[in-house]
Amino acid sequence: MELKLSINSRNTYPKGGVFIKSGLPKVWLQEIQNIGLAFHLVKAFPVPGSNANELFGCLLILDQSLIKTDNIGKNYFCQLIENKLFIPENTIVTPQLTKAEWHNLFSEHYHFMHPDIGLVELKEEVSWIDLIEAPVLKEVDILEPSKTIHIPQYISSIRYEANTEDILEALEKPFSQEDMPDNLPFDMEELMKGNQKEMDKFLAFLDKNPEMALKLAIPLDTLGTARGGFDEKLSFDGIGLGSAGGSSFSGGRRNTINESEFDGKPFLIVFKIIFVLVILFNLKSCDFSNSNIGANSSLALIIVVFAIGLIIALALLSSNSSSSSGSYLPSRQPSGSGGSALIDSERFATIQNRYEKMAEEFKERKDYAKAAHVYMKLLKNYYKAADVLEEGELYSEAAAVHLKYCNNKNKAAECYEKAHVYKQAIELYRELNQNEKVGDLYTVLKDKPEADKFYGKVIEEYKGNNQYVKASFIYKNKINSIEDAQELLITGWRSNKDAFNCLNNYFVNIESTQKLSRVITSIYESDVSAENSELFLQAMKQEYKKHEDLEEITKNIAYEIVADKITTKPDIASELVAFNEKNKSILKDVMKYKLKVRKA
């Protein structure tokens, strides 16, 4: 019998396999992987070629449940006839045979209709183990890599570590010594001694080179008294009593005295002079003590001596005042190296205004660090420096200034918190006994045990003050324990500590109206007495308005409470109006009843 293949417009038989046209097993494996088939679910049979010891391809026999897609790449589907013969797609075999003829003519093995050599019996399945060659092993030295840094899948919180001293050093010394100019148009040494000409040169330089003047860092204090730090010492250059034109001491020697001694010394000298002169003239006037003329002369001499002493004192004070405001300026010596001098108020105000203008310009350019440097180092206005740093969101720097110079731990903690420097913020909040803030920060850091420990301290403080509602909020909103919150609230109700608010919040925390109905009934039966029944009545008014499902039970309880109290307290009848808003006659009935009771 001769079987022939003919082209057909459609498949007459079901798809039963995939043909891979290649003689290389490597290609077969790649195509099986590309199609997405599992090796243990696929049977593969090699198909011989037209020449001896040559392969034409590979036939993959698939289960019908595996053929779910047409995406087989460049390969071909094959039809399977009566589980015996594989023919290409869109073909038909002639002559047509019956089912019995197919089984009688073909053996138990599969057959494939080869396009070149005809019918091929598929006896041997591909053995992948025999085809795979084991690789040649090489002896290599394996180096164990060092342990890498663990990278989490997601970031739950971020925190920074800040060194306050390093931050302040960067603010106070933004420029290195290499940034300092070599040639200046003024003499720095003379400027620090208070030389007004050099001061004018410095002002001109400040106008032309504001940032260069910033690098020089010549500070003024905001009180307008002097520059730099002092130890209450005054020194005088070129001041001599009676000298013409203000000639100086020999050799320009500087004589230093204590400021407090200077303030009282003229008066002490005058007092000593008056005392000595009075004694001398009194001794001399003893010869005239028997006569009126002698006594009058003695009194006159005393008056003259006192007047002379007063003139001397005024002269000394005038000399001191003129030396302070004239060309001989006292200079204050700072405790450290170098000196600084008093300057006249006009020049001081000018420099101060220039510094303030410079700081504002830095702020406008959003260079907040330099603006803060001007306020902190040149103007000695630490509070303004901290405000500028906060404005520029330099919270770590602002916290350092608040902490060291302003001694404001609360503001420092707030700034550390904004900067995510949680470690320092927690330390400060602990010093300030702000336990709730400490708990909040530990919550941010995902350290729930530590957070709950500090929240527990807050709860104990509230309980000690009988603030059960606030304590319940900590349990509910911070620790996420509704059960503990409810226990506190019911304790507050039973102990009559802010009882109404405790009961009201207790009901609010119950979401299910069915459960709330049971709880209301239970509390009314076990925890309501003559002393707190009116508070419970007020709570029922709230629940009546909030829940339609509870209108009946709350209304019945309200009527029972009013009935128990109405004989001793007739005005309680007015409470029934809240439970009968749609009943227009209830108000009239209540009014009539109260009027009747009053008449009786």
Side-chain angles (χ1 to χ4, degrees), residues 191-219:
L191 175 66
M192 298 304 292
K193 291 180 180 179
N195 189 305
Q196 302 301 328
K197 291 183 179 180
E198 298 302 321
M199 186 65 64
D200 292 336
K201 294 179 183 179
F202 172 71
L203 290 174
F205 180 77
L206 189 62
D207 285 336
K208 296 179 181 179
N209 305 278
E211 291 206 28
M212 190 63 70
L214 179 64
K215 295 178 183 180
L216 298 174
I218 302 177

Side-chain angles (χ1 to χ4, degrees), residues 169-427:
E169 184 177 358
L171 279 176
E172 295 173 351
K173 299 177 181 179
F175 307 103
S176 63
Q177 293 297 327
E178 298 176 356
D179 298 329
M180 293 299 182
D182 296 329
N183 299 321
L184 295 173
F186 55 86
D187 190 327
M188 179 65 75
E189 185 177 354
E190 291 298 321
L191 175 66
M192 298 304 292
K193 291 180 180 179
N195 189 305
Q196 302 301 328
K197 291 183 179 180
E198 298 302 321
M199 186 65 64
D200 292 336
K201 294 179 183 179
F202 172 71
L203 290 174
F205 180 77
L206 189 62
D207 285 336
K208 296 179 181 179
N209 305 278
E211 291 206 28
M212 190 63 70
L214 179 64
K215 295 178 183 180
L216 298 174
I218 302 177
L220 294 172
D221 71 6
T222 54
L223 297 177
T225 55
R227 291 178 280 114
F230 318 101
D231 285 332
E232 297 302 327
K233 297 290 184 180
L234 285 171
S235 61
F236 295 86
D237 285 339
I239 298 180
L241 293 176
S243 59
S247 59
S248 63
F249 291 114
S250 61
R253 179 174 57 86
R254 174 172 291 176
N255 185 25
T256 303
I257 61 175
N258 187 279
E259 186 176 13
S260 60
E261 293 176 358
F262 171 79
D263 292 338
K265 194 168 184 179
F267 298 98
L268 183 61
I269 295 172
V270 171
F271 178 76
K272 290 180 179 179
I273 293 173
I274 294 174
F275 182 74
V276 172
L277 290 177
V278 168
I279 291 176
L280 292 174
F281 280 106
N282 279 335
L283 291 174
K284 189 174 181 180
S285 63
C286 288
D287 297 337
F288 317 110
S289 58
N290 294 328
S291 65
N292 293 332
I293 297 176
N296 292 334
S297 298
S298 178
L299 180 61
L301 286 174
I302 292 173
I303 294 173
V304 170
V305 170
F306 179 77
I308 294 172
L310 183 61
I311 292 172
I312 294 173
L314 292 174
L316 287 174
L317 291 175
S318 176
S319 174
N320 177 35
S321 175
S322 62
S323 66
S324 298
S325 59
S327 61
Y328 306 105
L329 297 175
S331 63
R332 292 193 178 192
Q333 297 294 335
S335 58
S337 60
S340 59
L342 285 174
I343 58 177
D344 61 85
S345 58
E346 181 179 354
R347 286 184 174 85
F348 180 90
T350 302
I351 295 176
Q352 188 175 25
N353 291 335
R354 302 287 173 82
Y355 282 165
E356 291 177 349
K357 182 180 179 182
M358 186 190 307
E360 291 299 323
E361 290 174 352
F362 283 133
K363 281 178 58 179
E364 291 176 1
R365 298 204 300 261
K366 299 190 182 301
D367 196 345
Y368 297 100
K370 287 184 179 179
H373 174 80
V374 174
Y375 282 119
M376 185 167 64
K377 293 297 292 183
L378 306 187
L379 293 170
K380 303 296 182 182
N381 191 340
Y382 302 114
Y383 296 96
K384 186 66 175 178
D387 290 341
V388 168
L389 292 170
E390 286 191 61
E391 183 179 345
E393 298 183 358
L394 301 174
Y395 296 116
S396 295
E397 292 80 355
V401 175
H402 277 306
L403 190 60
K404 183 173 181 179
Y405 293 108
C406 305
N407 196 27
N408 192 335
K409 292 184 179 180
N410 193 63
K411 285 290 293 182
E414 292 176 3
C415 290
Y416 275 137
E417 182 181 355
K418 292 178 181 178
H420 304 293
V421 185
Y422 295 125
K423 180 180 179 181
Q424 283 88 336
I426 287 173
E427 291 176 357

Side-chain angles (χ1 to χ4, degrees), residues 456-490:
K457 294 182 180 181
V458 179
I459 291 171
E460 291 302 319
E461 291 176 4
Y462 283 144
K463 287 171 62 179
N465 296 326
N466 294 323
Q467 295 174 297
Y468 290 99
V469 174
K470 288 186 175 181
S472 72
F473 288 157
I474 301 297
Y475 268 130
K476 178 183 177 181
N477 301 325
K478 301 297 178 71
I479 301 181
N480 298 323
S481 176
I482 295 294
E483 294 78 9
D484 291 327
Q486 293 293 78
E487 185 177 347
L488 273 180
L489 291 171
I490 199 65

Side-chain angles (χ1 to χ4, degrees), residues 96 115 140 150 287 367 403 445 458 479 506 520 543 554 591 599:
Q96 296 184 2
V140 294
H150 173 69
D287 297 337
D367 196 345
L403 190 60
L445 296 176
V458 179
I479 301 181
Y506 186 86
I520 289 175
E543 300 307 314
T554 53
M591 295 295 293
K599 289 181 178 179

Side-chain angles (χ1 to χ4, degrees), residues 20-38:
I20 302 173
K21 188 178 180 180
S22 174
L24 301 175
K26 179 181 178 181
V27 176
W28 304 346
L29 290 171
Q30 289 177 348
E31 292 300 322
I32 292 173
Q33 186 175 8
N34 292 337
I35 297 173
L37 300 174

Side-chain angles (χ1 to χ4, degrees), residues 157-173:
S157 63
I158 298 178
R159 59 177 172 179
Y160 303 98
E161 298 291 337
N163 189 311
T164 304
E165 296 301 326
D166 292 344
I167 291 174
L168 288 175
E169 184 177 358
L171 279 176
E172 295 173 351
K173 299 177 181 179

Side-chain angles (χ1 to χ4, degrees), residues 419-589:
H420 304 293
V421 185
Y422 295 125
K423 180 180 179 181
Q424 283 88 336
I426 287 173
E427 291 176 357
L428 291 175
Y429 280 133
R430 290 183 67 172
E431 291 182 25
L432 297 169
N433 292 323
Q434 296 188 25
N435 294 317
E436 187 172 352
K437 290 295 295 184
V438 176
D440 291 343
L441 295 185
Y442 275 122
T443 300
V444 172
L445 296 176
K446 305 297 182 183
D447 192 346
K448 183 172 174 55
E450 282 296 315
D452 290 350
K453 182 174 73 174
F454 283 92
Y455 286 144
K457 294 182 180 181
V458 179
I459 291 171
E460 291 302 319
E461 291 176 4
Y462 283 144
K463 287 171 62 179
N465 296 326
N466 294 323
Q467 295 174 297
Y468 290 99
V469 174
K470 288 186 175 181
S472 72
F473 288 157
I474 301 297
Y475 268 130
K476 178 183 177 181
N477 301 325
K478 301 297 178 71
I479 301 181
N480 298 323
S481 176
I482 295 294
E483 294 78 9
D484 291 327
Q486 293 293 78
E487 185 177 347
L488 273 180
L489 291 171
I490 199 65
T491 301
W493 161 254
R494 290 168 178 168
S495 60
N496 198 23
K497 306 296 184 183
D498 196 11
F500 173 75
N501 288 324
C502 285
L503 186 63
N504 189 42
N505 281 277
Y506 186 86
F507 292 152
V508 168
N509 292 336
I510 302 174
E511 297 180 357
S512 171
T513 54
Q514 294 181 352
K515 182 178 179 181
L516 180 57
S517 176
R518 294 194 298 269
V519 169
I520 289 175
T521 303
S522 174
I523 294 177
Y524 176 64
E525 292 176 353
S526 60
D527 295 312
V528 175
S529 61
E531 289 76 16
N532 59 12
S533 60
E534 292 187 42
L535 290 176
F536 196 81
L537 175 61
Q538 298 301 319
M540 292 300 97
K541 287 170 60 177
Q542 298 291 330
E543 300 307 314
Y544 179 84
K545 295 177 182 178
K546 289 190 294 184
H547 305 287
E548 292 183 2
D549 297 341
L550 300 178
E551 287 183 357
E552 183 178 356
I553 183 173
T554 53
K555 188 174 183 179
N556 291 336
I557 291 175
Y559 272 84
E560 289 182 13
I561 294 174
V562 170
D564 290 338
K565 291 281 186 179
I566 198 167
T567 55
T568 57
K569 191 177 181 180
D571 290 340
I572 200 172
S574 300
E575 300 291 347
L576 297 177
V577 177
F579 297 89
N580 298 274
E581 293 180 350
K582 297 179 181 180
N583 189 348
K584 302 299 181 181
S585 62
I586 189 69
L587 180 60
K588 295 180 180 178
D589 294 339

